[in-house]
Amino acid sequence: MAFQFKPEVMLETAPLLWDGIELTIIITMLGLVFGFIIGTVTGLGRISRSRLFNAISVSYVETIRGTPLIVQVMFLYFGLPLVLGIRIPPVTAGVVAIAVNSGAYIAEIVRGSIQSINTGQMEAGRSIGLTHLQTMCFIIWPQAFKRMIPPLGNQFIISLKDTSLLVVIGVGELTRQGQEIIAVNFRAFEVWLTVAIMYLCMTLTLSQVLRWYERKLNARTKR
């Protein structure tokens, strides 16, 4: 039987995917908030003079960046509970996985941004009587954070798409919702096309917001 494209299926599918879209955005945002905290601490550890702090940070970054996210998800949901003797809810495991994974990449963003600031800035801060911590907080960090925004935006987009891998542990995000709809109507082409368009709309919207914010930030800098 020849395949017949039915656009009406896409129109029927779109509203049914809304819950999946909401959960995808929630998991992404929570994961990145915690990921930013982890990444900031780890990024500072990468440039720390403490050998122990530096070694722990390097080990974390290399381990996470060197293993696939899907393996990390499976380990958190299926492996870790066996050791801890507790059951981790799928959504919680998903948020933790996104946070831990994005944290390793954000750590490198933080490290690179801080190291890109001229060392004279630290010397200038110390020369006016500020401590190392005060100089870092009030002089280095504000400048470095502006440079973090573009790569952090890219990481947001990557993590948003990575939530699709949480389908392996049954999280009801966008991809999972698509699977469940296909199980009912057997229209894989139209449903997956709709899911792809939904992801594309989210990522394009985020890209446009980031471009607008970068232009606004650059305009302020030039004044």
Side-chain angles (χ1 to χ4, degrees):
M1 183 182 295
F3 171 76
Q4 292 184 342
F5 176 63
K6 295 184 177 180
E8 64 271 16
V9 174
M10 297 179 65
L11 296 176
E12 295 170 359
T13 298
L16 301 177
L17 294 172
W18 184 250
D19 288 343
I21 292 172
E22 286 185 335
L23 188 56
T24 295
I25 294 173
I26 290 171
I27 291 174
T28 304
M29 294 186 69
L30 286 176
L32 285 178
V33 167
F34 290 114
F36 183 74
I37 295 171
I38 294 170
T40 300
V41 174
T42 307
L44 293 174
R46 296 277 279 114
I47 59 176
S48 173
R49 295 177 182 177
S50 169
R51 291 185 179 182
L52 178 61
F53 191 15
N54 183 272
I56 293 173
S57 299
V58 171
S59 299
Y60 161 71
V61 170
E62 295 302 326
T63 299
I64 298 302
R65 293 178 66 187
T67 54
L69 174 58
I70 193 168
V71 174
Q72 296 164 17
V73 172
M74 301 283 273
F75 175 78
L76 282 169
Y77 187 68
F78 295 111
L80 197 58
L82 294 176
V83 178
L84 300 177
I86 59 173
R87 182 180 180 277
I88 303 175
V91 174
T92 301
V95 171
V96 172
I98 295 296
V100 171
N101 183 268
S102 63
Y105 293 91
I106 292 173
E108 290 300 283
I109 294 172
V110 171
R111 178 190 63 80
S113 298
I114 291 175
Q115 290 184 330
S116 70
I117 304 301
N118 193 300
T119 54
Q121 297 287 322
M122 176 61 74
E123 295 171 359
R126 298 303 300 274
S127 68
I128 61 175
L130 297 179
T131 65
H132 185 278
L133 180 60
Q134 289 174 328
T135 305
M136 179 63 73
C137 292
F138 300 117
I139 297 179
I140 304 299
W141 181 260
Q143 297 179 70
F145 185 73
K146 290 181 181 179
R147 301 184 182 186
M148 293 179 203
I149 292 174
L152 284 176
N154 291 334
Q155 185 59 47
F156 194 116
I157 293 173
I158 292 170
S159 294
L160 179 70
K161 293 185 293 183
D162 282 348
T163 57
S164 61
L165 297 175
L166 303 180
V167 69
V168 298
I169 59 174
V171 176
E173 42 69 60
L174 182 54
T175 303
R176 177 71 176 184
Q177 290 287 322
Q179 281 187 334
E180 292 177 353
I181 293 171
I182 291 170
V184 175
N185 64 14
F186 302 103
R187 301 298 300 185
F189 181 83
E190 290 88 349
V191 174
W192 286 129
L193 180 58
T194 306
V195 169
I197 291 173
M198 294 295 186
Y199 276 114
L200 187 61
C201 288
M202 288 190 288
T203 56
L204 287 177
T205 300
L206 183 58
S207 296
Q208 290 302 317
V209 171
L210 288 170
R211 289 195 185 99
W212 170 81
Y213 188 74
E214 283 182 51
R215 288 195 297 268
K216 186 176 181 180
L217 200 62
N218 290 334
R220 287 181 180 177
T221 304
K222 291 177 181 178
R223 290 178 183 175

